[in-house]
Amino acid sequence: MKQIELPQEPVSANTDTAVAIDVKHLSKCYQLYNQPHDRLKQFLWGGRRQYFREFWALKDVNFEVAKGEVLGIIGRNGAGKSTLLQLLCGTLTPSSGHVEVGGRITALLELGAGFNPEFTGRENVYLSASILGLSKQEIDERFEEIVEFSGIREFLDQPVKTYSSGMYVRLAFSVATSVDPDILIVDEALSVGDGEFARKSFDRIRSMKEAGKTILFCSHSLYQVEAFCDRALWLDHGQLMHFDEPQKVVQRYSKFLLGDAKTSALISANPQAVSATQGHARLSHVAVSLDGATGRELKGRPGENDLSIRVQFESDPQLPAPTVGVTINYGSLMTVASVLSHSENVPIKRSEFGKGEVIIDFPALPLRKGEFHVTVYLCSEDTVLVYDSAQTVATLHIEDPLPEPGLVKLAHCWHTRAID
Ligand SMILES: Nc1ncnc2c1ncn2[C@@H]1O[C@H](COP(=O)(O)OP(=O)(O)OP(=O)(O)O)[C@@H](O)[C@H]1O
């Protein structure tokens, strides 16, 4: 876990009680040298000539986060998200502009980065928590809870260099979140660790949200941002593109991505690229059929076939029943249609062992010409975590002898009469 001590400047305490983070004209410029010796030349003769190029990773960004608000930060790879988070934490200094924070920040940026590999887990808990600002007595009081949450009690007296990356992350997360920060910064931390711990760590973040903490949440999963955040901020090329309710920001961002389909960064920015198994439930069987014929490549005609998707899953019976979702995509980017059991309040039934089956029927499938890909998701009950997904589990080849353009054949009726 990267341990953060807030410097006095430029990150300063905010006296306005309603504002947790106030960012004004924040910019970060890096000096890029084509060759290593240009750096030396700059040092020696920099007064006469410039041997570097300027690169603005963040340019004139302004926003405020209210106390108790959850802010999602989205943007393509290299957009400046990590730079922004590091400026907020004070681990980077701005080239210009100002950040004011009201309260103690804990950042889950580089999980485990602050641990000493030679020390045991126990020693690292004390080291890490004291750097995060806890006294020896406070650590003693919270120690049992930290160890219990991490689930690695039996390895506590082993040096952390012998830990698996999952064990490392568990302990680091437990320490960082035990500090009881006012502001929590999470950078894709939810995608680390094994399924059960991902769920547990997300539950802890969720309870911090419920306790009124301010949370900044950087994620490539637009689903998570929409489901979890109060507002969202979209960065591109270091500039603030939009700052509003998550649904509005995600909508604009998705539209922007569609218009920029040649950009390779798209793939990782797409919600469908979310890691397949983040949680404690999995798809055990998925079958797609058209008029009863099951397969991965299915042929049909507009409005003539019944699509049926059979999904079987296994889940931890201790957890709430999962949500099942299906998307039908045209190409890799455009979602033509989607359904989600959660949005339609469909109770998902399952056995006492957590096993269940869901069948979703789409009668007289109204798709027109083209290839359509079916993807199935298994998510947490509130859709925030994607437990598992079956990407492009089937491709529907819809052939239409008629020349009319369009992706869907809408239900419609004609009315005609002669008039004077
Ligand atoms: N120390 C540095 N020197 C030069 N350029 C840097 C440095 N750190 C980051 N950058 C550049 O700044 C830009 C923003 O990087 P940043 O890591 O903030 O992006 P990001 O939105 O977090 O990306 P990702 O989603 O891939 O993590 C990138 O183009 C990156 O190459």
Side-chain angles (χ1 to χ4, degrees):
M1 189 76 50
K2 183 158 258 175
Q3 289 133 351
I4 308 300
E5 276 183 295
L6 290 179
Q8 294 304 306
E9 288 291 335
V11 181
S12 58
N14 194 321
T15 49
D16 180 346
T17 49
V19 177
I21 296 177
D22 187 6
V23 170
K24 287 205 171 67
H25 303 294
L26 192 64
S27 299
K28 179 70 188 175
C29 180
Y30 290 109
Q31 296 179 350
L32 301 183
Y33 294 90
N34 285 336
Q35 298 166 63
H37 60 256
D38 284 346
R39 196 178 288 274
L40 180 64
K41 284 189 192 165
Q42 180 65 33
F43 178 71
L44 295 173
W45 304 298
R48 277 175 273 158
R49 225 191 104 180
Q50 184 170 303
Y51 292 88
F52 61 83
R53 283 179 292 125
E54 287 188 340
F55 175 78
W56 291 87
L58 214 61
K59 194 132 198 207
D60 197 25
V61 169
N62 295 278
F63 65 94
E64 264 185 20
V65 186
K67 281 189 176 157
E69 193 170 34
V70 181
L71 174 71
I73 299 172
I74 57 175
R76 297 182 296 178
N77 294 108
K81 304 180 293 295
S82 303
T83 304
L84 174 63
L85 296 185
Q86 288 179 68
L87 288 166
L88 297 181
C89 295
T91 48
L92 271 183
T93 42
S95 306
S96 61
H98 194 71
V99 176
E100 281 188 30
V101 292
R104 171 152 67 177
I105 293 189
T106 290
L108 309 179
L109 294 184
E110 291 168 39
L111 288 159
F115 279 6
N116 184 329
E118 301 297 330
F119 288 8
T120 65
R122 184 185 300 274
E123 288 163 341
N124 270 304
V125 168
Y126 275 87
L127 172 74
S128 185
S130 64
I131 296 173
L132 282 167
L134 294 193
S135 67
K136 163 90 170 50
Q137 193 192 339
E138 284 174 316
I139 305 171
D140 285 342
E141 284 163 12
R142 295 176 201 194
F143 188 79
E144 182 52 32
E145 201 254 309
I146 293 171
V147 174
E148 183 57 32
F149 188 83
S150 73
I152 58 148
R153 186 183 297 277
E154 55 188 304
F155 304 99
L156 206 58
D157 293 308
Q158 308 288 332
V160 298
K161 68 181 177 191
T162 64
Y163 285 15
S164 69
S165 57
M167 289 157 68
Y168 212 81
V169 162
R170 281 164 172 251
L171 194 60
F173 182 92
S174 303
V175 178
T177 51
S178 72
V179 172
D180 195 26
D182 304 304
I183 302 166
L184 181 71
I185 295 189
V186 188
D187 187 3
E188 291 282 317
L190 301 180
S191 56
V192 295
D194 57 62
E196 189 192 348
F197 193 73
R199 166 84 205 192
K200 217 170 133 182
S201 58
F202 193 77
D203 282 346
R204 178 166 272 196
I205 291 172
R206 197 196 322 254
S207 65
M208 290 170 109
K209 174 182 176 178
E210 281 155 15
K213 307 287 182 194
T214 308
I215 301 176
L216 268 65
F217 179 72
C218 176
S219 178
H220 282 296
S221 163
L222 303 183
Y223 288 148
Q224 279 183 340
V225 170
E226 274 200 65
F228 187 63
C229 301
D230 301 314
R231 280 201 289 175
L233 180 159
W234 162 28
L235 286 176
D236 197 65
H237 286 104
Q239 304 209 354
L240 198 160
M241 305 292 282
H242 200 46
F243 179 49
D244 204 335
E245 291 164 18
Q247 290 73 11
K248 290 185 183 160
V249 178
V250 165
Q251 199 178 18
R252 274 211 193 183
Y253 177 55
S254 306
K255 207 168 154 192
F256 167 84
L257 292 180
L258 276 171
D260 189 28
K262 292 193 186 88
T263 309
S264 59
L266 261 175
I267 302 308
S268 64
N270 192 308
Q272 289 143 27
V274 176
S275 130
T277 48
Q278 285 187 341
H280 209 46
R282 66 177 199 91
L283 294 165
S284 49
H285 181 72
V286 178
V288 179
S289 49
L290 217 49
D291 291 340
T294 303
R296 293 202 63 139
E297 306 289 332
L298 298 162
K299 281 192 179 158
R301 290 167 76 98
E304 291 183 15
N305 317 98
D306 298 332
L307 173 69
S308 183
I309 302 168
R310 178 188 298 265
V311 178
Q312 290 177 348
F313 66 86
E314 292 171 8
S315 62
D316 180 345
Q318 305 296 323
L319 298 177
T323 289
V324 175
V326 171
T327 59
I328 299 179
N329 294 329
Y330 180 74
S332 59
L333 292 164
M334 186 187 290
T335 301
V336 180
S338 60
V339 293
L340 198 61
S341 61
H342 172 80
S343 311
E344 297 175 41
N345 296 318
V346 177
I348 299 296
K349 296 184 181 146
R350 57 183 179 159
S351 71
E352 59 180 308
F353 305 108
K355 293 187 180 185
E357 182 179 82
V358 177
I359 296 172
I360 309 131
D361 287 327
F362 298 86
L365 192 67
L367 297 176
R368 284 201 98 113
K369 249 179 285 241
E371 288 185 3
F372 299 88
H373 308 290
V374 178
T375 289
V376 174
Y377 294 94
L378 192 66
C379 312
S380 58
E381 71 287 1
D382 55 4
T383 72
V384 167
L385 271 178
V386 178
Y387 290 134
D388 199 359
S389 64
Q391 304 277 332
T392 309
V393 71
T395 302
L396 312 174
H397 303 266
I398 309 294
E399 286 162 12
D400 188 354
L402 301 174
E404 293 93 311
L407 293 177
V408 289
K409 191 178 168 103
L410 299 179
H412 62 285
C413 46
W414 297 88
H415 303 276
T416 174
R417 66 185 174 95
I419 50 170
D420 298 334

